[in-house]
Amino acid sequence: MLTRRTLLAAFGAAGGAFALPATALPAAAAVADPVAEEYHRLLLVHTRWVQQQWDASIGAYRAADFRFAAVLGNAVLLTTDGYDAALAGVDAATLRTRTVATITRFAATNRLAGGAEWGRRLFWDSTFELYFVLAARLLWADLNATTRANVEAIARGQAAYAYGLGTGNDPLSGSWSPNGSSGGYTGDTKLEEMGVYAQAIAPGLAWAPAGDAEAARWQERFVFWAANASGLPAADRANPAVIDGRPVSSWNVAHNLHDTFVVENHESVNPHYQAELWRTAGRAAAHFLAAGKPLPQVLTRQPNGRELWATLRLLASDAGEPVMPMVADRYHLYGRDVLPLAFLAQVQGDPHAARAEADLAARLMPYLKYAPENRLTKFSGEEKYEPEARAELAIAYLFHRWRATPVQPVTSGEFFAAAAGVRDFGPAVGLTAHQSITGFAAAVTKPGYVRFLWQPGHDNWLIDTRAPAFLPAQTAAPTRQWTGAYVAARDGVDATITVLQTAAGWAGYATLPTGTVVYAGPGPSSLTLFNLNMPGVPGLDGSRTFTGPGGAVTPPPGLGDGGTDEVTFTARAARHVRFLGRSAAGAYGCSLFSFEALDAAGTDRARGRTVTASSADPAYPAANAVDGDAGTRWAVSREERTRADSWLAVDLGATVQLTGVRLRWEAAYATSYLIQTSTNGTTWTTAVTAPATATLGAWAGIDGRAGLVAHGAASPITASAASITIPPANLIEGYTGTGTDLAAAASRRLPTGGPATLRLSDADGYLTLLNLSPTAVNSVVLTLPRGDRLYRGVSVVRTDGGLDLTASVPAGTGAVRPARFTLTGRAPAGTRFSVADSHHVTITAPTGAAVDLNLAAGAWSARAQVPAGESRSFAVPVSGPVTPTSDLARGRATFPTSPLPAGMGEPSYAVDGNPGTAWRPGPNGRMVVDLGVSRAVANVSLTWTSGTRRAARIETSTDGAAYATFSGPLSARYVAVAVPGWTTGDAELIELSVTA
């Protein structure tokens, strides 16, 4: 039997990933691990779902959707301490009997063991074989010799089968393929497919006996697939870092990532699939660790693993689950998010992943108890995901149990401070994201997904990001678009601007480093809110409270938030009744499991009656809504998912007295709608407008978690229990938390100037400019009400103490300008400030008055005294990057990425603008900076620390593969610096600067 003592001793030697005592300790004596304890409780409670899968006719758990893979969670519970029959709903002896019977049956029916029911196919049989084999190994002592032989045949047979495919397609898996060794990244990444090819080999490789003749071949193929899963374009393939005995450059040939370190799946960005890198690695690692084998290095030194994890942190929420910026599936699919975080945290030892894991773990029990109860996947997930979720929760628990000391998480503040940043993922991806310490925001410009997103406080149960924020839903691609991403090291501020010309009009969206967002464009604008009763999740208490000029109001909940809507009204005569939509929660329109028309006795008068609809998906006809079957549903046609006024009507056959309707929604639900009745099917009257709304004013607080200000709106903001609507306005500002005085923000004077199409905001001290027109704004004078903030450019003090700033904004673009200097004291009217950058300002006093004030920039300050009619220049001592910069390399992506070669320091230090950091080349070191696109390169300069300066070779490339020595002006995307012969103590590179 594989005892705990054996396991702990094995993991203590597993490549250093686990620091465990030489002698096994009982769970009660181990270091406190609240996450592990919660996982154990979850497995116990989830066992109630498992027991529903028992099929007495076959004497095993059900085969459908591989539900028999639930045996892994059972095996973990049966081989660790603390089994609680009351929580599990079944005694341990019965669970053991059923688990062993299931393993025995399905081991025999696997194709690799001579059966014909399942197995061998890579997608997705091999994944469930991996869970199944691990369960069997944990319960090895309970299995008979025949079953053991069958389990070994499955593990070895699947490894041999996957190896035998070479880099070709699995003929059993249909269209699922890694596209040979080339991979793919546009539209659909092959990261997942290559990961599956690797994990199919893992159980056979991990459990192979020492000296096995086939294992060496399997090992090479396993590393090949695992390394290539996260391969970038050619610029990354020269990485000389050694993994499992060979440099990355000799392993990697695939291209599965965009060069902005993001993956697409189903033609859009969905972080769930990016996490496959650690999901497949975690599945594989569990077998090596359980078998007492050292982990292959590729599982802990994954190419580009650090960069891909940084992308997920950029998209992170407060619940461990990342924002899903473009798709509605895999949304709040909590049970499928556990394993990647547990692997990153407890195997790779990342304390930031441990924070995300702990945050997710804290949500899992409330989620599990929410209807439908005892499920780890729900909302956008189907029940077929439950076996995977249980198995992966069990593996995550094992990762914790196999450590003597769990990796401790950083604080939430530390997590989001480190995750904060901005990235434009490129026009092909169509996503610009901004993570700040107070919230997340993004703009999506990809056709079919165009939207703005806002998640104040990182709260992923406040605003439903499947629905567009502020920008009305777009049915057609923008005819013109522009995106700007500002990075602090290069521009002096982390911010984004997106300007679109849409069929509804021009729209602009800015995101600020404070978490505040600014919107100008067509309206009305809306935010769709979650409003569930999920005790244990902050904010989900079944109601939302809004504040406005008139005080606080809590609209009645229950309608427009999904689930089951119980709609009542005064009895009325009707032969026809219909639902008429006004808005939907996401991109999938409306879908109803049932539509019931209720009389005073509560009888459903719609059951089995004639039904019509605005449209229907052929697979989900309208009649399904009144057939009495809770498992069937009506859904609008794919072509009409974006239609706001979809409807479904029922002819009751005769005039009856109706008192209400009951709507049972699928995940695609209406956030607002009408219930109407008719006596003739032609003339309709409204019985209920759902949901009920409250009128607020020009500003509104949202449940104490965020706030809105509508400048220049003709009517007030309104709110329902599950949405907030802002009328068309000149400008809308969204603030995170409760730190902003919304009344003061609404009443303050905004900057003015330029044409009406130029929208201006000074929210949080940042000057935001949105040019919503096809005409450039050149050298216009902007009036800034406050005179204590100096922005880049020329400002002149007004008689009222404000400033006149001269600015230009190209057509259809925008800008976010940080205050470069602040003033204490009042300058006389006519004083002129000329701000060149973050470190230099010239002050010119008017002819008739001297200037005497305090000037500050960050921690630096100085008294500025300028005689009348004279000029004085002031410079901040350089202790950080001077911004903005003309350096094309500043803040750009660098290579090698992770893992770095032995002896090499961080290449990004050479382009961070910080004179206190430097790149250490290491032996024969070489680094590359990606300028993003091909640019004119006139000069490349290198700044070194003290020490022996080795001759450096500068090279350029347009494709990242072929390089030539740089000798003068040319066009290039990549610039490389090689330092042959570098040894410890030699000079390090402070700055690599590229200018046009």
Side-chain angles (χ1 to χ4, degrees):
M1 179 181 180
L2 194 64
T3 64
R4 186 183 303 106
R5 182 180 299 276
T6 304
L7 282 170
L8 290 170
F11 292 114
F18 291 76
L20 296 169
T23 303
L25 298 174
V31 173
D33 188 346
V35 172
E37 294 170 2
E38 188 68 358
Y39 287 167
H40 192 261
R41 284 191 291 271
L42 286 158
L43 284 170
L44 285 165
V45 176
H46 189 255
T47 301
R48 293 177 177 272
W49 175 86
V50 174
Q51 291 310 106
Q52 295 172 7
Q53 312 314 311
W54 180 254
D55 186 344
S57 67
I58 63 172
Y61 295 120
R62 294 164 56 191
D65 299 326
F66 300 99
R67 298 186 183 211
F68 58 84
V71 293
L72 177 53
N74 297 0
V76 167
L77 289 173
L78 293 167
T79 55
T80 55
D81 301 325
Y83 188 84
D84 187 327
L87 286 178
V90 60
D91 62 87
T94 299
L95 189 69
R96 185 179 297 271
T97 298
R98 291 185 171 185
T99 301
V100 171
T102 299
I103 293 173
T104 300
R105 182 190 188 282
F106 285 101
T109 63
N110 186 281
R111 297 184 186 97
L112 295 162
E117 189 171 3
W118 72 295
R120 186 180 288 115
R121 182 173 54 194
L122 261 63
F123 300 93
W124 296 99
D125 298 53
S126 68
T127 298
F128 292 92
E129 287 173 344
L130 184 148
Y131 306 143
F132 185 84
V133 169
L134 184 56
R137 285 290 180 174
L138 292 175
L139 291 173
W140 203 243
D142 294 273
L143 306 181
N144 60 40
T146 299
T147 300
R148 291 184 181 183
N150 287 338
V151 170
E152 290 178 340
I154 293 170
R156 293 186 62 83
Q158 191 64 69
Y161 179 76
Y163 177 82
L165 293 173
T167 58
N169 296 349
D170 174 18
L172 302 176
S173 296
S175 62
W176 290 97
S177 162
N179 193 25
S181 60
S182 299
Y185 71 100
T186 303
D188 284 283
T189 180
K190 296 301 182 180
L191 180 155
E192 180 181 26
E193 285 80 348
M194 289 190 177
V196 169
Y197 269 55
Q199 72 173 30
I201 297 171
L205 178 60
W207 296 101
D212 184 88
E214 292 184 81
R217 294 192 293 274
W218 295 346
Q219 169 87 10
E220 188 278 338
R221 191 61 52 77
F222 173 84
V223 177
F224 172 82
W225 286 122
N228 274 282
S230 52
L232 264 176
D236 189 47
R237 294 184 193 158
N239 189 349
V242 175
I243 298 178
D244 291 302
R246 286 166 52 182
V248 172
S249 57
S250 71
W251 287 116
N252 280 27
V253 295
H255 185 176
N256 287 323
L257 316 178
H258 284 277
D259 52 19
T260 46
F261 302 102
V262 72
V263 304
E264 288 185 289
N265 192 273
H266 303 319
E267 310 300 325
S268 65
V269 170
N270 183 342
H272 177 88
Y273 293 96
Q274 186 145 331
E276 283 294 331
L277 178 65
W278 307 289
R279 187 175 289 110
T280 55
R283 293 166 182 162
H287 277 272
F288 289 104
L289 295 173
K293 301 282 184 68
L295 289 177
Q297 289 181 335
V298 74
L299 294 181
T300 55
R301 289 168 55 82
Q302 295 162 300
N304 300 305
R306 179 184 61 177
E307 290 71 21
L308 286 168
W309 172 226
T311 297
L312 280 196
R313 286 162 58 193
L314 186 71
L315 304 175
S317 74
D318 67 348
E321 181 188 65
V323 177
M324 306 295 179
M326 295 189 195
V327 292
D329 66 343
R330 310 298 196 273
Y331 196 87
H332 286 150
L333 202 63
Y334 277 3
R336 298 300 316 285
D337 296 322
V338 175
L339 183 57
L341 295 177
F343 175 78
L344 280 165
Q346 306 307 324
V347 178
Q348 291 197 356
D350 189 315
H352 292 270
R355 172 75 272 148
E357 183 192 15
D359 289 341
L360 179 59
R363 305 293 179 93
L364 284 172
M365 189 62 78
Y367 179 95
L368 188 76
K369 292 181 177 180
Y370 188 80
E373 282 190 279
N374 303 327
R375 277 182 49 185
L376 289 163
T377 58
K378 57 188 71 170
F379 298 102
S380 61
E382 300 173 43
E383 194 173 3
K384 70 179 182 181
Y385 296 117
E386 288 298 304
E388 287 180 89
R390 179 176 177 81
E392 293 177 2
L393 179 65
I395 293 172
Y397 174 66
L398 290 176
F399 287 158
H400 280 262
R401 286 295 299 266
W402 292 339
R403 294 193 72 104
T405 304
V407 174
Q408 295 302 303
V410 298
T411 66
S412 180
E414 290 170 326
F415 177 92
F416 284 109
V422 169
R423 193 177 310 167
D424 179 356
F425 289 96
V429 175
L431 171 66
T432 304
H434 186 175
Q435 183 75 274
S436 72
I437 61 173
T438 60
F440 172 85
V444 179
T445 56
K446 190 177 185 70
Y449 301 94
V450 176
R451 66 185 65 181
F452 298 146
L453 293 87
W454 186 41
Q455 194 176 73
H458 313 105
D459 187 343
N460 85 336
W461 282 109
L462 179 60
I463 297 175
D464 188 343
T465 53
R466 291 172 296 182
F470 305 111
L471 180 69
Q474 302 296 299
T475 58
T479 56
R480 180 171 176 166
Q481 62 187 55
W482 176 88
T483 293
Y486 301 91
V487 178
R490 191 171 62 241
D491 307 297
V493 63
D494 282 341
T496 74
I497 288 271
T498 300
V499 176
L500 308 175
Q501 184 180 16
T502 74
W506 286 83
Y509 189 58
T511 69
L512 306 181
T514 54
T516 294
V517 296
V518 178
Y519 170 80
S525 299
S526 64
L527 299 174
T528 300
L529 309 180
F530 289 105
N531 191 11
L532 309 178
N533 189 359
M534 193 183 295
V537 177
L540 294 189
D541 59 4
S543 66
R544 295 288 186 187
T545 297
F546 304 91
T547 54
V553 61
T554 303
L559 303 181
D561 55 2
T564 299
D565 283 359
E566 301 280 356
V567 185
T568 60
F569 45 81
T570 303
R572 56 170 51 204
R575 172 168 174 163
H576 304 269
V577 60
R578 74 177 182 182
F579 144 80
L580 175 62
R582 301 174 80 180
S583 63
Y588 290 85
C590 295
S591 180
L592 281 166
F593 283 113
S594 66
F595 180 101
E596 300 177 36
L598 306 175
D599 61 17
T603 303
D604 177 14
R605 307 302 292 265
R607 175 78 60 85
R609 296 297 183 179
T610 301
V611 61
T612 54
S614 55
S615 70
D617 187 307
Y620 307 106
N624 286 357
V626 296
D627 64 359
D629 186 341
T632 64
R633 60 187 174 94
W634 160 70
V636 299
S637 68
R638 292 175 178 268
E639 295 76 18
E640 296 209 356
R641 285 175 171 175
T642 58
R643 177 174 171 174
D645 63 343
S646 295
W647 55 267
L648 181 138
V650 182
D651 181 349
L652 306 178
T655 299
V656 299
Q657 291 291 312
L658 290 185
T659 60
V661 299
R662 180 181 295 123
L663 311 177
R664 283 205 317 116
W665 295 101
E666 196 253 352
Y669 64 91
T671 55
S672 64
Y673 57 90
L674 304 177
I675 297 299
Q676 297 181 316
T677 61
S678 173
T679 56
N680 58 15
T682 302
T683 302
W684 296 89
T685 59
T686 298
V688 170
T689 298
T693 60
T695 300
L696 299 171
W699 58 271
I702 307 173
D703 208 32
R705 297 170 182 272
L708 297 169
V709 172
H711 297 281
S715 57
I717 297 170
T718 60
S720 72
S723 67
I724 190 162
T725 301
I726 311 102
N730 184 64
L731 192 78
I732 298 171
E733 295 165 342
Y735 296 92
T736 64
T738 58
T740 300
D741 183 335
L742 297 175
S747 62
R748 80 185 193 277
R749 289 173 55 203
L750 290 178
T752 58
T757 52
L758 181 64
R759 309 295 173 84
L760 306 170
S761 168
D762 61 354
D764 298 337
Y766 297 90
L767 181 60
T768 299
L769 306 94
L770 299 168
N771 184 359
L772 308 185
S773 80
T775 304
V777 174
N778 294 316
S779 300
V780 298
V781 175
L782 309 180
T783 298
L784 310 184
R786 293 185 56 159
D788 58 345
R789 300 167 180 157
L790 299 183
Y791 301 95
R792 186 167 176 254
V794 177
S795 302
V796 178
V797 177
R798 296 166 51 85
T799 55
D800 62 3
L803 294 173
D804 283 338
L805 172 67
T806 301
S808 297
V809 187
T813 70
V816 173
R817 298 187 180 185
R820 302 294 183 169
F821 296 87
T822 57
L823 308 175
T824 303
R826 182 166 178 173
T831 302
R832 180 186 179 92
F833 299 96
S834 181
V835 178
D837 53 42
S838 58
H839 286 59
H840 301 90
V841 58
T842 297
I843 303 176
T844 302
T847 303
V851 173
D852 187 358
L853 48 75
N854 287 319
L855 188 66
W860 173 88
S861 64
R863 186 174 180 182
Q865 294 179 306
V866 184
E870 296 187 18
S871 296
R872 293 286 187 272
S873 295
F874 299 85
V876 179
V878 176
S879 59
V882 178
T883 60
T885 180
S886 59
D887 180 1
L888 301 176
R890 178 81 63 82
R892 303 295 182 184
T894 56
F895 304 98
T897 54
S898 58
L900 290 175
M904 181 180 285
E906 178 55 60
S908 66
Y909 287 168
V911 297
D912 64 0
N914 185 350
T917 62
W919 170 58
R920 184 178 66 253
N924 297 311
R926 178 178 181 273
M927 69 164 285
V928 178
V929 60
D930 178 2
L931 305 181
V933 295
S934 287
R935 300 173 182 270
V937 175
N939 184 64
V940 179
S941 61
L942 308 177
T943 304
W944 300 88
T945 64
S946 60
T948 301
R949 187 174 301 178
R950 300 288 176 177
R953 185 174 67 252
I954 299 174
E955 302 170 327
T956 58
S957 171
T958 57
D959 62 4
Y963 286 80
T965 300
F966 176 69
S967 59
L970 47 67
S971 179
R973 173 172 173 173
Y974 302 93
V975 177
V977 177
V979 192
W982 190 94
T983 60
T984 301
D986 287 350
E988 300 179 4
L989 184 61
I990 295 174
E991 184 173 59
L992 162 61
S993 177
V994 179
T995 53

